[in-house]
Amino acid sequence: MCAHVIIAEDDEKQAELLRRYLEREGHAVTVVGDGLAALDAVRHGEPDLLILDVMMPRADGLDVVRVLRAEARELPVLMLTARTTEDDLLLGLDLGADDYVTKPYSPRELMARVRTLLRRSRRAAAGPETAGAVDADVLRVGTLVVDPARHVVAVDGEAVDCTPGEFRILAALAAEPDRVFSRQQLLAELHGFDRYISDRTVDVHVMNLRKKIEPAPRRPARLLTVFGVGYKLTDPAKAAARASS
């Protein structure tokens, strides 16, 4: 799975370490040292993945993600951050980062995250045919399809790009439609993925999922809040039929 990866990191030693690990796995690597250079490299380099440090000169990583998503670029972004406060991490996810690793980090862990993001990105690029493939393990809730084996989500036949955290939550909900999951139960699905997690992390993932799978995210019909308890996933057509009967 050779890819073009851009590393945006102003710490030269860290950047060189990452470059060596990535090239060892067969990837082509471009290294830049500030936020504006990162934007320029993405716009002209057609990369498959951006590894982005949060604290950089000229434009920080959060600003870079904000601009890339405003330009409707679907490039996977893995953020590196020395910030460990929950608000900083949630902000990165909310702006559109796909994953994050906190410093100091294990290079082996980071490479595992890279492989996951590249696999997910390429499966999503395969299109809705892949998402709709017949498989006994595919989860279906109305017109929502979740394929855990291929890490693919589709709604009404259209592929939906989900981050790893979003996917874990959605797969857990889709496995048991109409069951109400508490935030703590959904946090358990994220265990080992997010090292700094809380109830608010689940809420951010749910909010972002609604933007992707709901026709009207502020009036959700699939991913519902059960006040005082948690969340559930339901088939809107069946719910409407029950309400009218």
Side-chain angles (χ1 to χ4, degrees), residues 1-7 18-31 47-49 51 107 110-119 122:
M1 188 173 16
C2 297
H4 176 203
V5 181
I6 293 176
I7 300 171
L18 290 177
R19 184 186 65 78
R20 289 181 180 179
Y21 269 88
L22 287 162
E23 290 182 345
R24 190 179 301 168
E25 295 201 2
H27 302 305
V29 181
T30 299
V31 178
D48 299 294
L49 174 69
I51 299 177
L110 190 141
M111 290 302 105
R113 303 288 186 95
V114 165
R115 288 190 291 271
T116 296
L117 286 174
L118 289 174
R119 281 196 300 268
R122 293 185 176 185

Side-chain angles (χ1 to χ4, degrees), residues 32-59:
V32 296
D34 65 72
L36 293 184
L39 287 171
D40 187 63
V42 168
R43 289 164 177 160
H44 297 95
E46 298 185 357
D48 299 294
L49 174 69
L50 172 62
I51 299 177
L52 180 65
D53 188 26
V54 171
M55 299 297 291
M56 287 190 300
R58 301 182 73 200

Side-chain angles (χ1 to χ4, degrees), residues 13 19 27 51 68 81 105 119-120 127 129 133 144 147 149 151 163 184 208 210 217 245:
K13 291 184 179 179
R19 184 186 65 78
H27 302 305
I51 299 177
L68 292 177
T81 176
Y105 54 80
R119 281 196 300 268
R120 178 177 61 80
E129 306 83 25
L144 173 69
D147 186 339
H151 209 284
T163 69
Q184 287 299 317
N208 289 335
R210 283 174 171 161
S245 63

Side-chain angles (χ1 to χ4, degrees), residues 144 170 173 203 205-227 230-237 239-240:
L144 173 69
L170 190 60
L173 292 167
D203 293 338
H205 283 315
V206 168
M207 178 184 67
N208 289 335
L209 278 169
R210 283 174 171 161
K211 294 176 183 176
K212 298 175 180 182
I213 68 172
E214 297 280 6
R218 297 195 177 196
R219 298 189 301 277
R222 289 187 174 93
L223 184 42
L224 306 181
T225 300
V226 180
F227 292 100
Y231 298 102
K232 70 176 181 178
L233 191 68
T234 193
D235 177 355

Side-chain angles (χ1 to χ4, degrees), residues 16-152:
E16 178 62 15
L17 177 65
L18 290 177
R19 184 186 65 78
R20 289 181 180 179
Y21 269 88
L22 287 162
E23 290 182 345
R24 190 179 301 168
E25 295 201 2
H27 302 305
V29 181
T30 299
V31 178
V32 296
D34 65 72
L36 293 184
L39 287 171
D40 187 63
V42 168
R43 289 164 177 160
H44 297 95
E46 298 185 357
D48 299 294
L49 174 69
L50 172 62
I51 299 177
L52 180 65
D53 188 26
V54 171
M55 299 297 291
M56 287 190 300
R58 301 182 73 200
D60 69 22
L62 295 176
D63 286 334
V64 172
V65 173
R66 187 180 288 109
V67 171
L68 292 177
R69 296 318 186 212
E71 294 177 350
R73 297 181 185 273
E74 298 298 329
L75 170 72
V77 176
L78 172 60
M79 300 198 78
L80 308 177
T81 176
R83 299 172 174 176
T84 57
T85 65
E86 181 185 59
D87 286 343
D88 288 327
L89 300 177
L90 292 177
L91 178 58
L93 291 173
D94 195 32
L95 288 173
D98 296 273
D99 197 359
Y100 60 79
V101 175
T102 54
K103 296 180 179 181
Y105 54 80
S106 158
R108 291 179 61 190
E109 177 192 359
L110 190 141
M111 290 302 105
R113 303 288 186 95
V114 165
R115 288 190 291 271
T116 296
L117 286 174
L118 289 174
R119 281 196 300 268
R120 178 177 61 80
S121 177
R122 293 185 176 185
R123 285 166 181 161
E129 306 83 25
T130 303
V134 176
D135 190 312
D137 295 326
V138 170
L139 306 171
R140 302 177 188 276
V141 184
T143 59
L144 173 69
V145 177
V146 180
D147 186 339
R150 297 178 179 86
H151 209 284
V152 168

